[in-house]
């Protein structure tokens, strides 16, 4: 389930449709391409704003147990987004939206990209994240 093929500009065929749709949406709406920054995690990428270079989203491939505590270590696609601290408690539900994995949990959320959450809802949170990253 590698998303690494994006480094070469193409959309890979071995990821869930929701990931394909998200990548196309980000490119269409924000003109961004995934950047792969970590040699030790070559399938994990970030999107950043073009005007200030701040990250607004991370697309990650991580063991399920990192998001949902338990024994399941199957790799899952996760989207990390910035989130206003005053709404975190209202939107983290433990089913669709989780505290941000490997990020500041007061400012980031994680969404599992397996179709459990509608694209339109994800895109609204993505826009909010993009807007938050515009602030100084």
């Amino acid at each position: 389930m590698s998303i690494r093929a994006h480094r070469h500009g193409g959309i890979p065929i071995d990821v869930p449709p929701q990931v394909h749709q998200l990548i196309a949406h980000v490119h269409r709406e924000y003109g961004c391409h995934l950047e792969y920054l970590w040699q030790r995690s070559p399938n994990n990428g970030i999107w950043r704003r073009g005007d200030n270079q701040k990250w607004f989203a991370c697309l990650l491939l991580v063991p399920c147990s990192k998001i949902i505590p338990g024994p399941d270590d199957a790799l899952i696609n996760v989207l990390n987004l910035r989130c206003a601290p005053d709404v975190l408690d209202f939107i983290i539900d433990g089913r669709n939206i989780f505290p941000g994995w490997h990020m500041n949990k007061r400012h980031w959320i994680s969404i599992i990209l397996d179709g459990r959450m509608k694209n339109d809802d994800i895109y609204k949170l993505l826009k909010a994240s993009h807007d938050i990253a515009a602030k100084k």
Side-chain angles (χ1 to χ4, degrees), residues 48-78:
R48 62 173 98 217
R49 290 183 58 98
D51 56 355
N52 63 13
Q53 299 302 301
K54 287 185 179 181
W55 299 8
F56 66 92
C58 303
L59 186 58
L60 310 167
L61 190 62
V62 300
C64 184
S65 61
K66 299 291 185 183
I67 307 298
I68 303 171
D72 189 357
D73 276 336
L75 293 177
I76 58 172
N77 291 279
V78 172

Side-chain angles (χ1 to χ4, degrees), residues 33-134:
H33 294 283
L34 278 168
E35 296 179 44
Y36 297 92
L37 306 176
W38 305 286
Q39 208 168 31
R40 292 180 65 193
S41 300
N43 295 314
N44 295 341
I46 62 104
W47 283 294
R48 62 173 98 217
R49 290 183 58 98
D51 56 355
N52 63 13
Q53 299 302 301
K54 287 185 179 181
W55 299 8
F56 66 92
C58 303
L59 186 58
L60 310 167
L61 190 62
V62 300
C64 184
S65 61
K66 299 291 185 183
I67 307 298
I68 303 171
D72 189 357
D73 276 336
L75 293 177
I76 58 172
N77 291 279
V78 172
L79 177 66
N80 278 1
L81 298 173
R82 290 177 180 263
C83 185
D86 58 331
V87 300
L88 280 174
D89 290 339
F90 300 107
I91 66 169
I92 292 175
D93 61 12
R95 171 158 165 51
N96 296 315
I97 302 174
F98 301 85
W101 179 76
H102 206 56
M103 303 298 266
N104 183 326
K105 290 174 180 22
R106 292 182 312 163
H107 298 279
W108 289 81
I109 56 172
S110 291
I111 299 167
I112 298 174
L113 298 174
D114 63 355
R116 67 177 69 195
M117 192 167 172
K118 293 179 182 178
N119 284 352
D120 287 343
D121 294 333
I122 293 171
Y123 298 162
K124 288 175 189 171
L125 293 170
L126 180 69
K127 181 179 181 333
S129 181
H130 188 265
D131 292 347
I132 290 167

